[in-house]
Amino acid sequence: MAAQLPYPEIAQIFARFRAAEPEPKGELEHSSAFTLLVAVALSAQATDKGVNLATRKLFAVADTPERMLALGVEGVTEHIRTIGLFRNKAKNVIALSQRLIDAFGGEVPASRAALQSLPGVGRKTANVVLNMWFRIPAQAVDTHVFRVANRTGIAPGRDVIAVERAIEDQVPAPYQQHAHHWLILHGRYVCKARKPACAACLIREYCRYEEKNL
């Protein structure tokens, strides 16, 4: 685990990220808080591309909790069969739709605790929904964020909660809203797990990664 970078260097890193991509976007397709919630819940152990292929047809017929319930577990299963763990995910989608209706009037709540009370919704999913839909600067730590935060020294931590808190503590306020998106995209396309493209990295002189392949 790399040592924590100094605050001024972290600010310079995120200034570069923002200059390169001022408004980074999540890659999961959605049209509402509900479809975003379902898409993120389905994305565990699956690619965004694979989820999008499945949800285009699913959301065309079921873009509200009520319509999702009308499909039932078998109906949802048929739409998401190409996604990993599809049977369990279909059950969770139906269960979370029911709970949204029963506990929240069919609306997606803007609270991490409330979101995490939904079946199949963990802290990362809740943070993505809070950030992307409700514009709350929550930090969703996936494998890309965890790797980049530790490898570079931006926000090292031994687990996802420690990295989440390090990002909240160390990243300057003007960059908090998009911080996890910049880190995800950097990890997905540049700072890859097996073959990081260090020569193409726009923050390479700040990076603490000892095996930089320059």
Side-chain angles (χ1 to χ4, degrees):
M1 184 168 64
Q4 174 76 52
L5 283 168
Y7 187 86
E9 291 190 10
I10 294 174
Q12 290 172 319
I13 285 171
F14 282 92
R16 289 193 180 185
F17 282 149
R18 184 168 65 182
E21 185 66 60
E23 290 288 330
K25 305 293 183 184
E27 297 181 332
L28 289 171
E29 297 173 2
H30 62 281
S31 59
S32 64
F34 176 70
T35 55
L36 174 61
L37 173 64
V38 171
V40 180
L42 293 177
S43 70
Q45 299 185 42
T47 65
D48 288 358
K49 181 179 179 180
V51 172
N52 289 338
L53 287 172
T55 56
R56 284 169 195 159
K57 292 182 178 179
L58 174 64
F59 293 156
V61 296
D63 59 353
T64 67
E66 294 80 6
R67 291 173 182 166
M68 198 67 74
L69 281 179
L71 272 185
V73 173
E74 290 305 315
V76 174
T77 298
E78 287 305 308
H79 281 90
I80 67 169
R81 193 173 290 275
T82 56
I83 300 174
L85 306 175
F86 65 90
R87 294 189 188 281
N88 192 55
K89 288 178 180 178
K91 293 177 183 177
N92 283 336
V93 168
I94 291 299
L96 74 82
S97 297
Q98 186 68 65
R99 178 156 175 78
L100 284 174
I101 293 170
D102 293 343
F104 303 104
E107 299 294 324
V108 175
S111 155
R112 182 186 289 121
L115 285 166
Q116 287 189 256
S117 75
L118 301 171
V121 177
R123 188 179 182 91
K124 185 190 79 171
T125 296
N127 282 348
V128 172
V129 174
L130 292 173
N131 184 288
M132 290 182 62
W133 191 262
F134 295 106
R135 307 295 293 177
I136 296 170
Q139 305 302 331
V141 179
D142 69 355
T143 56
H144 297 301
V145 174
F146 187 82
R147 180 177 66 256
V148 173
N150 276 292
R151 180 183 276 175
T152 61
I154 291 172
R158 295 191 179 278
D159 55 45
V160 295
I161 299 298
V163 169
E164 178 184 326
R165 290 173 177 165
I167 294 171
E168 292 172 344
D169 290 343
Q170 299 298 328
V171 175
Y175 305 112
Q176 284 282 326
Q177 182 63 48
H178 295 311
H180 89 272
H181 277 129
W182 282 315
L183 294 173
I184 287 171
L185 294 172
H186 192 64
R188 184 174 291 165
Y189 298 111
V190 180
C191 194
K192 294 176 280 190
R194 294 186 180 180
K195 293 183 179 180
C198 299
C201 177
L202 76 166
I203 63 166
R204 57 188 176 272
E205 67 263 42
Y206 300 116
C207 177
R208 294 285 177 87
Y209 184 43
E210 293 181 356
E211 299 177 26
K212 281 189 285 190
N213 54 20
L214 298 181

